[in-house]
Amino acid sequence: MPTLPAWVVQALVIFLTTGSTGQLLDPCGYIYPESPVIQYGSNFTAVCVLKEKCMDNYNVNATYIVWKTNHVAVPKEQYTIINRTASSVTFVSMAYLSVQLTCNILTYGQLEQNVYGVTVVSGFPPEEPKNLSCIVNEGKKMMCQWDPGRETYLETNFTLKSEWATEKFADCKTKRGNPTSCIVDYAPIYFVNIEVWVEAENSLGKATSEHINFDPVDRVKPNPPRNLSVSNSEELSSILKLSWINPNIRNVIRLKYNIQYRTKDATAWSQIPLEDTVATRSSFTVQDLNPFTEYVFRIRCMKEDGRGFWSDWSEEASGVTYEDRPSKAPSFWFKINPSRTQDYRSVQLIWKTLPPFEANGKILDYEVTLRRWKSPSQNYTVNDTELTVNLTNDRYVATLAARNRVGKSDASVLPIPPYPFQASQPVTNLKAFPKDNMLWVEWTAPSKSVRKYILEWCVLSDSSPCVPDWQQEEGTVHQTYLKGNIEESRCYLIVVTPVYPAGPGHPQSVKAYLKQAAPSKGPTVRTKKVGKTEAVLEWDQLPVDVQNGFIRNYSIFYKTIVGNETVVNVDSSHTEYTLSSLTSDTLYMVRMAAYTDEGGKDGPEFTFTTPKFAQGEVEAIVVPVCLAFLLTTLLGVLFCFNKRHLIKKHIWPNVPDPSKSHIAQWSPHTPPRHNFNAKDQMYSDGNFTDVSVVEIEANDKKPFPDDLKSLDLFKKDKVSAEGHSSGIGGSSCMSSSRPSISSGDENTASTVQYSTVVHSGYRHQAPSVQVFSRSESTQPLLDSEERPEDAQLVAESGDRGDSIPPRQQYFKQSCGQPDTSPDTCHFERSDQLSCGSEEDLVRLKQQPGLGHTSQPCGSEQVKALQEGSAADTFGPRAEGHTEKLETVGVEAALDEGIPKSYLPQTVRQGGYVPQ
Amino acid sequence: MACHRGWSLYLLSLLLPLLSPAAPISPAEPISQAYSLALYMQKNTSTLLQTYLQYQGSPFSDPGFSAPELQLSSLPPAAVSFRIWHALDDVERLSRGQEAFLALSQHLQLVGDDQSDLNPGSPILLAQLATARLRAQGLLGNMAAIMTALGLPIPPEEDTLGLVPFGASAFERKCRGYIVTREYGHWTDRAVRDLALLKAKYPA
């Protein structure tokens, strides 16, 4: 019989061969075998036989046959031409599970004509089914299942066979889609052995499992016990009685049971020992249960001898054990309220509700007694878990007992110390640590016997106050865990107080975390001070709410924009750190991380720039510079102030006012009037056309050469001195501050001579070549005009000296210097004088010993002045001077007739050489 | 009564020896198993009889119906005097039991056939009859196993039913069924006693 795919192929062939005529035609040939099923990987040979008629029609024979698998031509090497009409093809190790094999002929024009097609299916013969097992669910028929072995890729039938020694049962055919199990269609006959096996069969073979022989009663899975019910006993609070209805299989077999129970809230089941339930029964009393506790039960059963299967669990049933008196006294503690009066204090007694396993029933109320020494006790019945009483400052003993329907608990005794009371004897070595997801507290007991310990704890937080929870531990305990809702990442403050018979001991506290975490915020770092190469960072301690653990250390990360990050670890006790070795004038980015044991958290980044200069560096530079500048300026100002007359002379030269000329005022009787010769000479060149020249004859000419000599010597000594005699007369005032002698006449090359002293020879002698001619400069005249006030001042000062004020006035004017200092020149304005000579004169004054040897160059006037102002100093020598000056004055007068030139006249070298 | 049930006997004769190699050396287990089966059967025999009578209509279904005088020649009666029964040895007891249950299984088959004819719409009765027959067959096998375990020769098979009167009337067939189901109960009771005795003799 052709398989379906082969049919399809045949239909296709028919369609192809009928062509457009639609006429049904026989195929041109056939392939044998027609519907081959072969073992996967085995060799396979097919033969195509052509029909004679077809061969004639297409004029072909077997050599024209082309084999194709899945429309792909098979290599010619696999062909074998058997005879004229038949060609075979051989496949070695067929590796297709299903392949379409077609036989085609190559007709005229190389057209391929399909002749016939088959589908070659390959697979495996069945393996022997393994692990055959059977089960008889109570009330149902027997079901057996097995492991079919490897995939065959072919349709494989499994048949479950069963028989008795005396009876053969009907085969059990597996249902399609579930070839690994079968349910027999006869009711199980218990106590008769049955033999069961499985046969697997497909196109390639047949396999049989091993036979198993068993009594179906040993394969029974009973139904679970029904109607489980639980009842308690008023007599015994620790028992519950279970009863149930056994499954019907109880009629056939004896049963054993498995009973499990748990408290209502538990998830894990406890099991009643199997030895206690090995026989058929319908009730059982469970013992050693806790009072007033709801228990849940379930039960299952199986054949007593353990052959077969446990039933499913029954439906759960629950029951509550009867109440019993509370098994433990409640935890008992007190707080002293802050409000107290002189004689009374408000004491709040607090206690904990008993957990259900200790309450053993519904707590109806609490009995509290308070007893003062030798006083009758006060009794209270409280429904709440606290009682506030006003007590005197004496010592009290409070007792507490919880009461339920059955009875009263033992009393919990709490000594309340008198007031005041010095607590002592704390626990030592208090430690808190997390373990097994609980916060454990451990301490070393004090040497004294402790009645109990009170542990109080609360969450430390900045946002909420410390609301303490507490618990009580026995006096023998020195390690416990906090029985409360302890959260992770919160800081707990735990206080342990030992309670002695006399009263509570000194509390000890410790901080702990159940589980630390990285801080939720990092510290905010900022700079406290930034220096050129260092920065002082500061930060605040993290608030406890974001710490999430004990801050163990900080890390400071800092870097420049381009540089690598540098990390510094800082102990958690610090809130300040100094970064050193920084680069000046650089932007630094710094941030901080705080670390707990569980990790760290970065804070915000902070940037700062180191200054270019260190603190005070700028000041250190600027201040001295400023000071120096100030000083310089001050000095300059002082100087200029000191020399302002020179400046003025330079900038606003004194123009002598001719109208104020008092030449007529001079007194001919006074020796200094000779000086006027020179003056007259000066004015004679100027505007003073009217000036009369007075010739003053020197009384004594003799010493003069000596004087000149000494002057000359002195000049020579001063060759190196700064010579400022050059320039026009006015400018020499500047240099006059230096009391040095300028040998202006010696430096003829570079200096302009203001005047030349022309010696007209000693009186009555041949006048020498020395001529003191007046300078062409008219400045002093202007100056004196401009400074009449000065002249007045000088006049005044002159009045002090002697009786020659009128003459002096002029000179004073010309000097323009109200200063009475003898060091300065008092007669700068005498334009005949070269500055050099002025200096000389000054020098002369400074060296009084030389005073009388002064040059004739206007020195007469100087001496005259000095007589007025410094006559005391010079003493009698001044007289001699005067005489010499007079001589000069005479000479000057003699020179009057010599043509005057405004151009500076050059004096021969040695012009001043003593004649 | 000419119904030929030779195939089952033939099968039995063929298969019984096959059990021999697998039989345990101690006969306690097959005895215990057979006893358990007998006990189990005993609990159901009265139910079977009541169910059977219930389906047969009056007078069978009448309350208190009993016809102890009715017997079938092809079915050996279970009733036996205590003295005779007590005097029997193990082999004889087992042989008589085997003989009886072989006959019963054949007769139950017959009754089942009759009832599927007479009461085709009563699957409960038919199922009970089939189950009873299977159990009788099973007990037969267990007994054979005991004999094998005890090393006793298995008695030759007999066609106890012999010729079956196919032309029997419905009433006759109902009567026949009544006798078979009643005797099935009696023989089960006797087998329980037999096996209890044997069990005591060969404790586990």
Side-chain angles (χ1 to χ4, degrees):
Chain A
M1 194 177 88
T3 59
L4 191 65
W7 242 95
V8 173
V9 173
Q10 283 183 28
L12 186 72
V13 169
I14 287 162
F15 175 77
L16 285 170
T17 48
T18 48
S20 57
T21 60
Q23 191 185 349
L24 284 169
L25 289 176
D26 285 339
C28 246
Y30 292 98
I31 294 176
Y32 302 100
E34 205 156 80
S35 52
V37 178
I38 60 162
Q39 185 162 343
Y40 186 86
S42 66
N43 299 340
F44 169 67
T45 300
V47 179
C48 185
V49 181
L50 299 178
K51 286 182 179 170
E52 288 288 345
K53 192 175 82 183
C54 212
M55 290 165 66
D56 293 345
N57 275 355
Y58 294 106
N59 195 21
V60 293
N61 58 36
T63 58
Y64 288 77
I65 287 175
V66 175
W67 291 92
K68 285 191 170 182
T69 52
N70 291 347
H71 310 295
V72 176
V74 177
K76 296 275 186 201
E77 300 82 58
Q78 290 175 240
Y79 298 177
T80 306
I81 308 301
I82 297 166
N83 54 33
R84 206 177 65 84
T85 62
S87 167
S88 75
V89 65
T90 301
F91 299 94
V92 178
S93 183
M94 275 292 275
Y96 296 102
L97 289 176
S98 174
V99 67
Q100 198 182 68
L101 179 65
T102 52
C103 171
N104 309 275
I105 49 171
L106 209 58
T107 59
Y108 178 74
Q110 299 294 308
L111 284 173
E112 277 183 18
Q113 185 79 46
N114 193 293
V115 175
Y116 203 78
V118 295
T119 299
V120 183
V121 176
S122 53
F124 295 100
E127 275 190 331
E128 184 181 306
K130 296 200 173 60
N131 300 331
L132 175 62
S133 66
C134 298
I135 184 171
V136 182
N137 289 306
E138 183 189 340
K140 291 180 179 166
K141 290 167 181 173
M142 186 171 75
M143 185 194 79
C144 295
Q145 56 189 13
W146 57 88
D147 178 358
R150 76 170 167 195
E151 172 65 58
T152 62
Y153 304 107
L154 299 172
E155 190 177 318
T156 305
N157 294 318
F158 293 90
T159 308
L160 178 71
K161 294 185 175 281
S162 54
E163 64 180 28
W164 275 349
T166 54
E167 182 99 12
K168 202 175 178 69
F169 296 102
D171 289 346
C172 183
K173 300 272 188 193
T174 58
K175 290 189 171 61
R176 194 176 282 275
N178 185 16
T180 62
S181 71
C182 198
I183 299 172
V184 299
D185 59 358
Y186 51 88
I189 307 296
Y190 299 128
F191 306 113
V192 182
N193 279 20
I194 192 168
E195 193 161 308
V196 173
W197 69 95
V198 184
E199 286 181 6
E201 188 172 12
N202 67 12
S203 311
L204 295 176
K206 179 176 171 180
T208 304
S209 75
E210 65 170 339
H211 292 222
I212 56 169
N213 189 301
F214 59 91
D215 186 337
V217 85
D218 292 338
R219 298 292 186 272
V220 166
K221 180 187 176 183
N223 287 332
R226 319 189 289 277
N227 296 3
L228 181 64
S229 64
V230 186
S231 57
N232 64 14
S233 157
E234 282 194 29
E235 288 75 35
L236 277 172
S237 60
S238 66
I239 64 163
L240 282 173
K241 188 181 177 188
L242 305 179
S243 54
W244 63 89
I245 297 173
N246 278 310
N248 293 339
I249 196 78
R250 161 78 188 87
N251 297 324
V252 184
I253 53 174
R254 293 182 60 76
L255 296 172
K256 66 174 180 181
Y257 304 89
N258 182 4
I259 300 172
Q260 289 187 339
Y261 65 95
R262 59 173 168 86
T263 56
K264 191 174 188 295
D265 303 320
T267 50
W269 292 90
S270 306
Q271 183 160 292
I272 289 167
L274 290 173
E275 310 88 81
D276 296 348
T277 53
V278 287
T280 307
R281 53 168 68 228
S282 60
S283 68
F284 188 83
T285 300
V286 185
Q287 299 171 21
D288 296 331
L289 301 176
N290 292 320
F292 199 58
T293 308
E294 183 169 358
Y295 287 93
V296 179
F297 295 88
R298 62 180 185 178
I299 185 172
R300 62 179 179 171
C301 61
M302 78 179 294
K303 191 159 171 269
E304 189 180 33
D305 59 6
R307 295 178 183 179
F309 302 91
W310 279 110
S311 72
D312 292 332
W313 287 106
S314 69
E315 286 182 358
E316 293 175 5
S318 64
V320 183
T321 48
Y322 200 70
E323 291 184 38
D324 197 358
R325 69 180 272 264
S327 55
K328 213 177 157 192
S331 298
F332 194 22
W333 188 230
F334 74 100
K335 290 183 203 167
I336 294 180
N337 293 335
S339 62
R340 70 181 300 278
T341 61
Q342 186 64 33
D343 301 323
Y344 286 94
R345 49 193 170 146
S346 171
V347 174
Q348 188 187 20
L349 302 173
I350 51 176
W351 55 90
K352 294 262 181 188
T353 55
L354 287 168
F357 62 91
E358 287 171 348
N360 292 341
K362 187 179 184 298
I363 298 297
L364 302 173
D365 49 42
Y366 297 93
E367 289 182 12
V368 181
T369 68
L370 274 167
R371 199 172 62 250
R372 194 161 48 154
W373 177 246
K374 281 184 176 173
S375 297
S377 62
Q378 302 161 260
N379 293 323
Y380 304 86
T381 302
V382 188
N383 288 320
D384 205 351
T385 57
E386 59 169 54
L387 173 67
T388 304
V389 287
N390 278 329
L391 302 181
T392 63
N393 290 335
D394 299 319
R395 179 177 186 273
Y396 283 80
V397 174
T399 65
L400 171 74
R403 197 174 67 83
N404 68 9
R405 192 161 68 174
V406 176
K408 226 163 62 171
S409 73
D410 294 337
S412 191
V413 181
L414 180 67
I416 296 169
Y419 179 85
F421 176 73
Q422 188 58 49
S424 60
Q425 299 257 22
V427 298
T428 49
N429 299 332
L430 180 61
K431 281 185 289 187
F433 53 92
K435 192 174 86 179
D436 304 331
N437 209 28
M438 287 182 291
L439 198 50
W440 285 79
V441 184
E442 197 179 81
W443 62 89
T444 304
S447 52
K448 217 162 112 185
S449 151
V450 177
R451 180 173 276 175
K452 64 184 184 185
Y453 293 99
I454 298 291
L455 279 77
E456 293 167 287
W457 71 90
C458 70
V459 175
L460 283 183
S461 168
D462 295 330
S463 57
S464 57
C466 171
V467 182
D469 198 354
W470 63 283
Q471 74 188 53
Q472 174 181 318
E473 294 296 336
E474 295 295 323
T476 52
V477 169
H478 58 88
Q479 178 177 333
T480 186
Y481 62 91
L482 299 186
K483 296 169 183 73
N485 183 24
I486 306 295
E487 293 171 58
E488 294 181 356
S489 311
R490 305 299 298 270
C491 185
Y492 282 89
L493 177 69
I494 302 160
V495 179
V496 177
T497 310
V499 180
Y500 302 103
H506 195 267
Q508 284 289 97
S509 66
V510 68
K511 286 179 192 176
Y513 284 86
L514 175 61
K515 191 172 188 300
Q516 298 189 39
S520 38
K521 264 185 185 172
T524 305
V525 67
R526 57 187 182 274
T527 50
K528 188 181 181 186
K529 208 175 88 188
V530 180
K532 188 178 168 185
T533 59
E534 61 172 34
V536 180
L537 303 176
E538 66 170 1
W539 58 91
D540 297 324
Q541 298 278 15
L542 286 176
V544 71
D545 288 319
V546 302
Q547 283 185 9
N548 298 341
F550 294 113
I551 301 297
R552 300 300 187 194
N553 66 302
Y554 297 108
S555 282
I556 300 172
F557 305 87
Y558 65 97
K559 60 174 181 182
T560 59
I561 287 178
V562 290
N564 284 336
E565 196 167 66
T566 312
V567 184
V568 182
N569 287 323
V570 184
D571 188 66
S572 61
S573 59
H574 294 89
T575 56
E576 204 176 287
Y577 185 78
T578 304
L579 297 180
S580 51
S581 307
L582 302 180
T583 315
S584 65
D585 194 24
T586 307
L587 180 70
Y588 278 92
M589 280 171 283
V590 62
R591 73 193 146 84
M592 264 186 87
Y595 291 91
T596 66
D597 293 337
E598 293 298 318
K601 175 80 177 178
D602 284 353
E605 197 158 78
F606 182 83
T607 56
F608 65 89
T609 308
T610 50
K612 205 161 193 167
F613 301 103
Q615 183 96 31
E617 196 172 289
V618 173
E619 289 87 335
I621 295 168
V622 169
V623 169
V625 166
C626 290
L627 284 174
F629 178 75
L630 265 173
L631 204 64
T632 313
T633 314
L634 201 66
L635 284 174
V637 167
L638 273 175
F639 172 80
C640 285
F641 189 74
N642 281 339
K643 300 291 176 188
R644 68 175 176 211
H645 58 286
L646 291 182
I647 299 169
K648 275 183 181 169
K649 187 175 75 182
H650 183 60
I651 299 171
W652 306 283
N654 270 336
V655 179
D657 185 355
S659 63
K660 289 181 181 175
S661 177
H662 302 285
I663 196 160
Q665 289 177 351
W666 61 277
S667 168
H669 307 290
T670 52
R673 98 191 139 175
H674 300 296
N675 290 331
F676 259 93
N677 274 337
K679 276 285 175 279
D680 292 343
Q681 283 183 330
M682 285 190 283
Y683 291 110
S684 67
D685 289 338
N687 301 323
F688 302 96
T689 49
D690 239 359
V691 173
S692 59
V693 176
V694 179
E695 191 174 292
I696 301 167
E697 290 179 9
N699 296 327
D700 185 6
K701 287 286 172 188
K702 302 258 168 137
F704 196 78
D706 294 329
D707 288 345
L708 283 175
K709 264 181 195 167
S710 62
L711 180 64
D712 197 39
L713 281 171
F714 176 73
K715 276 188 190 170
K716 279 173 182 167
D717 289 338
K718 300 303 284 177
V719 164
S720 60
E722 298 165 45
H724 290 273
S725 59
S726 62
I728 50 175
S731 68
S732 63
C733 188
M734 293 298 288
S735 56
S736 66
S737 66
R738 294 177 190 85
S740 61
I741 294 171
S742 169
S743 53
D745 38 2
E746 289 171 351
N747 304 333
T748 47
S750 59
T751 58
V752 176
Q753 203 165 7
Y754 273 73
S755 57
T756 305
V757 177
V758 181
H759 285 267
S760 56
Y762 295 115
R763 181 173 285 229
H764 313 299
Q765 292 173 10
S768 75
V769 286
Q770 284 195 353
V771 174
F772 186 75
S773 69
R774 188 184 172 272
S775 165
E776 295 85 348
S777 171
T778 57
Q779 289 287 46
L781 292 174
L782 291 168
D783 196 17
S784 63
E785 275 182 44
E786 281 183 19
R787 311 288 300 270
E789 326 79 47
D790 291 352
Q792 289 292 347
L793 283 168
V794 173
E796 282 167 22
S797 62
D799 290 340
R800 291 174 306 185
D802 53 14
S803 56
I804 51 161
R807 262 191 310 113
Q808 282 180 326
Q809 192 172 26
Y810 164 74
F811 286 106
K812 291 289 178 187
Q813 275 185 335
S814 67
C815 218
Q817 178 103 2
D819 200 333
T820 54
S821 164
D823 290 348
T824 52
C825 62
H826 298 262
F827 40 85
E828 291 95 338
R829 289 299 100 197
S830 63
D831 43 355
Q832 304 98 315
L833 290 176
S834 73
C835 235
S837 50
E838 283 172 19
E839 286 162 358
D840 290 349
L841 285 170
V842 173
R843 191 74 184 200
L844 284 170
K845 282 195 289 178
Q846 285 174 333
Q847 300 175 16
L850 297 176
H852 61 287
T853 61
S854 66
Q855 271 187 292
C857 146
S859 301
E860 308 93 310
Q861 295 96 315
V862 175
K863 285 301 152 194
L865 279 171
Q866 282 176 341
E867 269 178 281
S869 63
D872 301 338
T873 313
F874 292 101
R877 280 191 185 172
E879 297 302 320
H881 276 305
T882 309
E883 288 171 358
K884 282 183 274 178
L885 287 168
E886 280 172 353
T887 308
V888 173
V890 171
E891 285 164 357
L894 290 175
D895 292 337
E896 192 64 10
I898 295 167
K900 293 140 205 147
S901 168
Y902 284 95
L903 290 172
Q905 294 168 17
T906 303
V907 175
R908 279 173 294 133
Q909 193 74 25
Y912 283 97
V913 173
Q915 293 108 22
Chain B
M1 288 203 173
C3 179
H4 189 255
R5 301 290 173 189
W7 61 270
S8 60
L9 296 175
Y10 171 71
L11 194 70
L12 187 67
S13 64
L14 272 180
L15 291 174
L16 281 176
L18 290 177
L19 291 172
S20 304
I25 293 161
S26 164
E29 197 177 322
I31 289 169
S32 171
Q33 193 181 25
Y35 176 71
S36 295
L37 178 57
L39 272 179
Y40 180 42
M41 287 160 67
Q42 197 177 30
K43 287 172 185 168
N44 294 287
T45 49
S46 59
T47 312
L48 174 65
L49 182 58
Q50 291 306 314
T51 309
Y52 177 81
L53 291 175
Q54 186 188 327
Y55 277 95
Q56 307 313 316
S58 193
F60 301 102
S61 58
D62 295 345
F65 173 79
S66 177
E69 69 284 356
L70 286 175
Q71 290 292 339
L72 272 175
S73 59
S74 56
L75 198 64
V80 63
S81 77
F82 179 76
R83 195 181 59 82
I84 293 171
W85 176 77
H86 203 262
L88 294 173
D89 62 15
D90 297 342
V91 179
E92 283 172 321
R93 284 202 186 95
L94 285 169
S95 300
R96 299 266 174 100
Q98 256 191 320
E99 188 187 332
F101 278 98
L102 180 59
L104 278 168
S105 76
Q106 292 171 15
H107 280 88
L108 282 167
Q109 182 74 61
L110 176 64
V111 172
D113 290 352
D114 287 341
Q115 288 301 313
S116 58
D117 216 13
L118 295 169
N119 290 304
S122 55
I124 294 169
L125 174 63
L126 295 177
Q128 283 190 9
L129 285 168
T131 303
R133 189 196 72 80
L134 272 176
R135 284 174 181 158
Q137 193 88 22
L139 188 60
L140 204 57
N142 284 352
M143 285 175 167
I146 292 167
M147 294 180 85
T148 310
L150 292 173
L152 302 174
I154 293 164
E157 296 297 319
E158 283 180 50
D159 185 358
T160 55
L161 202 54
L163 298 171
V164 175
F166 287 110
S169 69
F171 184 74
E172 282 174 327
R173 285 196 261 179
K174 284 178 180 177
C175 284
R176 188 166 65 194
Y178 163 67
I179 297 162
V180 170
T181 52
R182 188 194 66 197
E183 286 304 308
Y184 172 73
H186 291 168
W187 269 110
T188 302
D189 293 343
R190 182 170 165 176
V192 169
R193 290 192 68 177
D194 285 349
L195 290 165
L197 204 67
L198 207 60
K199 199 179 176 212
K201 207 182 242 179
Y202 297 97

